[in-house]
Amino acid sequence: MLNKMLDAVEEAYRIVKAAGYPIMPPEDEDSLRRNRSKVYWMLKIAAATPVG
């Protein structure tokens, strides 16, 4: 389920970029691709604990 959420975020970045809007800050788009496993585990921990 979390992988589908991350896929949706990446797709949203592509849609926004294709529509001509800039991604702010620009490094956010690349950061998700580079750190996908780290983001996955952070979301998993946040969803499984009272932190989230």
Side-chain angles (χ1 to χ4, degrees):
M1 190 72 158
L2 291 176
N3 279 321
K4 288 186 181 214
M5 287 175 51
L6 293 174
D7 290 341
V9 170
E10 284 187 40
E11 180 68 19
Y13 277 132
R14 285 194 293 271
I15 291 169
V16 168
K17 195 172 188 178
Y21 292 98
I23 304 295
M24 295 302 227
E27 57 272 356
D28 271 3
E29 181 182 10
D30 296 328
S31 176
L32 180 61
R33 281 192 212 118
R34 283 191 319 257
N35 300 317
R36 186 178 175 103
S37 65
K38 186 187 294 185
V39 173
Y40 172 85
W41 282 105
M42 287 175 21
L43 286 174
K44 188 170 182 92
I45 289 169
T49 64
V51 172

